Amino acid sequence: MKQIKFTVAIPTYNGEKRLPKVLDKLREQINTEHFDWEILVVDNNSKDNTAKVVQDYQKNWSQSYNLRYCFEAEQGLAFARQKAIEAAKGELIGFIDDDVFPAPDWVSMAYKFAQEYPKAGAYGGQIHGDFEVEPPENFGRIKSFLAIKERGSKAHLYNPENLSLPPGAGLVVRKKAWLENVPQRLVRTTRGGNDFEISLHLHRGGWEIWYNPDMHLDHKIPSWRLERDYLLSLSRTVGLCICELRLINIKSWQKPIVMTKIVMGSLRRAILHIYKYRQNLQTDLVAACELEFFLSSMLSPFELIKKQFMKSIAVNKTS
């Protein structure tokens, strides 16, 4: 019986049009002959023909590695990723979104890195933007909001204390590390902060979080994801989850201090930003997104308090 070493997990929702290209890219993987691996599509309650797309591929699948399918009814990326962990046969799980396309050696480089860095509980590589239209000027300052990461040619540790972490698109985790440290139900269930929360739990468990420059992915960015309303909304989402993420590995007595620092630090950054770009905030989209992030980060402690208050009301109503 084969011992699967690596699982490529693809969480998808209504991905019938996006999945084929991802699966085709995975069929082109090279240098994987020395270990056994598999592909696992996690259908997160899709309403389209996602299941049929996978079934059609399975009928004509001649590769030595398996293509598997599973279904997760509970909506949310966190639930799809948890389902992948439970269903994966591999010791390593590499998450690929249905709009990112791996280089031909992505799987082999991901597997190799795990052998060279046994203390790495999670790691991500380089994610390059494949833009349908030209991004706005100075877009590099906010490209990380769209999970675009290009951190140079040398492997290095991320800094979880400063929320310097790899995005979920292309994140590789050790199944053992996840099962021992990541809660079955995470606080962040959607794309906003879910990937960082995973790495923070692994870090708290003593695992290292790494950047591997030899893993390359292309992230398809359609034109609508560069429109002003979308980018401002995305910047707001990223900012509002800052406090919740920072408190994950903080002791109870430290929380008021950290929350105060977030408010005051973000307020200072917002004021300086307004002073610097005061003439251009209406015309400079990148500057406007940065301001939205600073303001939302400042409000994130209050957003968390509101969230906890609403949760306590809901619990009281059901008890």
Side-chain angles (χ1 to χ4, degrees):
M1 184 177 177
K2 288 184 178 181
Q3 184 178 4
I4 304 297
K5 297 294 185 179
F6 196 97
T7 297
V8 177
I10 312 171
T12 184
Y13 172 71
N14 289 347
E16 67 169 303
K17 294 182 179 179
R18 299 182 298 275
L19 267 177
K21 186 172 181 179
V22 182
L23 294 175
D24 289 343
K25 289 291 184 182
L26 288 171
R27 284 204 293 197
E28 297 170 359
Q29 294 297 298
I30 60 174
N31 301 328
T32 61
E33 299 81 9
H34 58 292
F35 63 94
D36 292 315
W37 63 291
E38 65 174 357
I39 301 169
L40 175 66
V41 177
V42 183
D43 183 348
N44 193 197
N45 202 29
S46 297
K47 309 303 180 185
D48 64 357
N49 293 316
T50 291
K52 186 177 185 305
V53 167
V54 180
Q55 290 168 4
D56 289 343
Y57 267 83
Q58 288 173 324
K59 291 175 184 177
N60 302 296
W61 196 258
S62 59
Q63 277 64 29
S64 59
Y65 43 93
N66 290 333
L67 170 61
R68 300 170 51 221
Y69 169 92
C70 65
F71 184 83
E72 173 53 54
E74 193 162 9
Q75 200 76 57
L77 184 57
F79 306 121
R81 286 176 173 162
Q82 179 62 36
K83 183 70 172 185
I85 291 293
E86 295 169 358
K89 296 180 180 179
E91 300 169 4
L92 299 160
I93 295 96
F95 290 101
I96 290 185
D97 290 349
D98 60 16
D99 59 354
V100 297
F101 310 120
D105 61 351
W106 189 85
V107 172
S108 63
M109 288 300 174
Y111 179 74
K112 179 183 178 183
F113 192 85
Q115 314 314 306
E116 296 176 349
Y117 295 85
K119 293 183 180 180
Y123 50 94
Q126 301 203 51
I127 305 178
H128 312 288
D130 179 8
F131 299 100
E132 185 178 31
V133 297
E134 190 70 20
E137 187 178 357
N138 298 319
F139 180 74
R141 303 207 309 255
I142 61 169
K143 65 181 183 180
S144 63
F145 292 173
L146 284 171
I148 298 173
K149 293 280 184 177
E150 296 160 319
R151 298 174 61 92
S153 59
K154 293 184 179 180
H156 59 259
L157 283 165
Y158 274 98
N159 187 350
E161 284 77 13
N162 292 329
L163 295 186
S164 173
L165 293 164
L171 184 70
V172 181
V173 299
R174 293 185 191 271
K175 185 171 183 175
K176 177 179 184 295
W178 179 301
L179 292 175
E180 291 177 353
N181 296 284
V182 180
Q184 284 195 332
R185 293 188 74 87
L186 292 167
V187 173
R188 310 295 306 182
T189 59
T190 59
R191 292 187 180 275
N194 172 252
D195 40 9
F196 280 21
E197 188 178 356
I198 292 165
S199 291
L200 287 168
H201 284 296
L202 294 175
H203 176 66
R204 183 171 62 182
W207 291 92
E208 296 174 347
I209 314 300
W210 280 83
Y211 166 74
N212 174 13
D214 296 324
M215 291 162 44
H216 293 268
L217 292 167
D218 288 327
H219 187 190
K220 184 71 174 177
I221 309 294
S223 59
W224 60 268
R225 295 193 72 182
L226 294 175
E227 293 175 358
R228 185 180 183 89
D229 288 347
Y230 178 83
L231 285 176
L232 286 173
S233 175
L234 178 63
S235 303
R236 188 178 310 118
T237 298
V238 174
L240 286 175
C241 70
I242 290 295
C243 182
E244 198 162 28
L245 292 173
R246 284 198 178 279
L247 296 187
I248 287 176
N249 291 337
I250 295 297
K251 295 178 181 178
S252 296
W253 67 269
Q254 295 175 309
K255 291 182 178 181
I257 300 172
V258 172
M259 294 170 77
T260 302
K261 285 184 175 180
I262 290 173
V263 173
M264 299 308 296
S266 299
L267 176 60
R268 177 179 176 275
R269 293 168 76 186
I271 292 172
L272 292 174
H273 195 75
I274 292 172
Y275 179 78
K276 182 177 181 179
Y277 293 101
R278 57 191 180 280
Q279 304 296 332
N280 303 314
L281 286 173
Q282 293 301 317
T283 57
D284 188 334
L285 178 55
V286 170
C289 288
E290 289 173 322
L291 178 60
E292 188 67 35
F293 169 75
F294 296 148
L295 293 174
S296 300
S297 178
M298 180 185 70
L299 294 173
S300 64
F302 305 103
E303 181 72 13
L304 177 58
I305 292 171
K306 175 184 173 183
K307 182 178 179 179
Q308 292 175 339
F309 177 71
M310 298 303 294
K311 183 178 180 180
S312 65
I313 291 178
V315 170
N316 291 332
K317 284 184 178 179
T318 57
S319 62

